[in-house]
Amino acid sequence: ACGIRAASLRRVDGFNAALQYCYEDVEVCLRLVDSGARIAWVESAAVQHHRAASWLRDDDQVITDPYPVMLSRAVFAVQNSPTDVSDVLAAWLAAWSDGPAELVPEDRRAWFRERAQQGITDGVRIGREGRPRVRLEEVSRHDFRPYQSSTSS
């Protein structure tokens, strides 16, 4: 988890909209550093990250559709690697075809593997198109909910 000042996000055109599920925080941090910003680790920072069932994970945290994950991995690799990423993408696909695919019901495994492959194929294409620019609008502080500490009553 990371906290980034809104002005800093605006300076680097926000998050990469092509990254649907993962690597968006890493990618924006790379651009922040490239723009001259510093990334600091704050030991005392409180972070609450509660995983829950979502559009991508079931109640047991099993990924139900690998497409967004593989797409984001491929986009990130293509846009940020100085070398060819074909071998890396092939290794990711092999790992996902053997590991996570085994966690889904047997009747969905072929579909799961096809979705992983399609995510990589689409991610390479999207990654080669370049990073989409996003305009971040100014928002009022009142648009945000206050942080609720787990120790609050």
Side-chain angles (χ1 to χ4, degrees):
C2 61
I4 301 170
R5 294 178 188 272
S8 297
L9 275 176
R10 279 192 284 284
R11 187 173 69 240
V12 296
D13 294 326
F15 288 97
N16 185 341
L19 298 172
Q20 294 182 4
Y21 186 73
C22 54
Y23 293 100
E24 69 282 353
D25 52 349
V26 175
E27 195 268 350
V28 80
C29 285
L30 289 173
R31 287 185 290 110
L32 284 165
V33 169
D34 286 348
S35 76
R38 286 184 323 115
I39 305 297
W41 175 61
V42 180
E43 184 175 2
S44 61
V47 176
Q48 292 180 334
H49 185 90
H50 299 286
R51 284 201 170 153
S54 69
W55 62 279
L56 189 61
R57 293 179 187 269
D58 65 16
D59 290 333
D60 296 322
Q61 298 302 304
V62 173
I63 292 178
T64 57
D65 184 358
Y67 179 87
V69 175
M70 300 310 279
L71 181 133
S72 291
R73 284 181 166 196
V75 167
F76 180 82
V78 168
Q79 290 181 350
N80 293 284
S81 177
T83 61
D84 180 56
V85 295
S86 300
D87 292 341
V88 170
L89 296 175
W92 282 343
L93 182 60
W96 274 69
S97 293
D98 293 339
E102 297 302 315
L103 299 175
V104 298
E106 190 170 343
D107 62 328
R108 295 190 62 216
R109 288 182 187 157
W111 173 86
F112 189 94
R113 290 180 177 110
E114 289 169 11
R115 291 287 290 166
Q117 176 63 61
Q118 191 62 52
I120 287 178
T121 300
D122 291 350
V124 168
R125 178 184 48 78
I126 291 167
R128 288 181 177 152
E129 293 171 0
R131 192 176 77 75
R133 299 290 177 204
V134 177
R135 177 160 169 71
L136 298 174
E137 302 296 328
E138 293 283 341
V139 294
S140 166
R141 296 181 108 186
H142 302 290
D143 292 336
F144 294 93
R145 292 181 297 172
Y147 174 76
Q148 296 296 317
S149 170
S150 59
T151 59
S152 298
S153 49

